Amino acid sequence: MKEGLVFGAGDHATTCGTLEMMERLEWRGKRVFDLGSGTGILSEAARWLGAALVVGCDLEAEAAKMTRERGAAAVHGPSMALRDGVFDVLLVNIPGYVHLDLAPEYGRLLRPGGELVLSGYYTWQGERIEGALAGFVKRDQIERGDGWVASIFSQARATASSEAMS
């Protein structure tokens, strides 16, 4: 593998934590988006767990290629070109500070009531990252390694009054 931002054979604490969180969800029939897919390990796991559709996305061409090699569809480039509210589950295992910038994108990509599996950040970053996740409620969390966090968040479902206002 050439040098770049892609890392991991699946043994990093963030990847292990994400995989553990993934085991706590129902996957059958779900449409899944792996944002920052890297080597495609999480995309492949979602497929094995029974997801109906898995799409990976990474800014690095090599990462998108590796994700396709693991059997998932993959996009090379930013997620901003994708339609709103298409996915049931969003997998995001990227560096903690990036979550602050991408938090609005998480809500846009997920359908109302969708689930977000988030990792790549330390416990000391948690409060700030969770504060950026407007419209999400934390359901579960684990700590792995040297304080790495993996969490599951649920997106609030649209209500009749919120739909009437839009």
Side-chain angles (χ1 to χ4, degrees):
M1 176 170 48
K2 71 178 188 177
E3 280 224 22
L5 298 175
V6 179
F7 77 95
D11 56 354
H12 190 273
T14 61
T15 307
C16 292
T18 305
L19 290 166
E20 187 174 332
M21 290 285 96
M22 289 174 69
E23 291 176 341
R24 300 176 186 192
L25 297 177
E26 172 57 45
W27 291 93
R28 206 157 314 293
K30 301 288 174 109
R31 298 170 59 93
V32 178
F33 189 65
D34 182 1
L35 180 57
S37 60
T39 61
I41 290 170
L42 301 179
S43 293
E44 183 177 24
R47 285 184 51 250
W48 279 98
L49 289 165
L53 171 72
V54 181
V55 178
C57 177
D58 204 288
L59 296 176
E60 289 202 26
E62 185 69 16
K65 179 182 173 204
M66 286 187 277
T67 299
R68 281 191 292 276
E69 289 170 353
R70 289 182 180 269
V75 176
H76 168 226
S79 61
M80 282 72 170
L82 297 170
R83 290 190 350 239
D84 294 0
V86 172
F87 299 98
D88 302 298
V89 179
L90 184 58
L91 305 171
V92 190
N93 179 21
I94 59 176
Y97 62 90
V98 182
H99 292 302
L100 298 173
D101 291 332
L102 290 181
E105 186 71 350
Y106 303 161
R108 186 189 73 76
L109 290 166
L110 281 172
R111 66 164 178 75
E115 296 170 302
L116 170 64
V117 180
L118 198 68
S119 191
Y121 63 99
Y122 288 104
T123 52
W124 59 267
Q125 295 172 305
E127 187 176 329
R128 189 162 178 215
I129 290 168
E130 290 171 23
L133 294 172
F136 284 91
V137 176
K138 185 167 50 174
R139 286 187 26 218
D140 203 352
Q141 177 176 307
I142 59 169
E143 221 178 285
R144 305 266 320 204
D146 295 327
W148 290 105
V149 175
S151 303
I152 299 173
F153 295 85
S154 292
Q155 185 175 26
R157 294 187 182 274
T159 62
S161 61
S162 68
E163 289 173 355
M165 296 176 78
S166 38

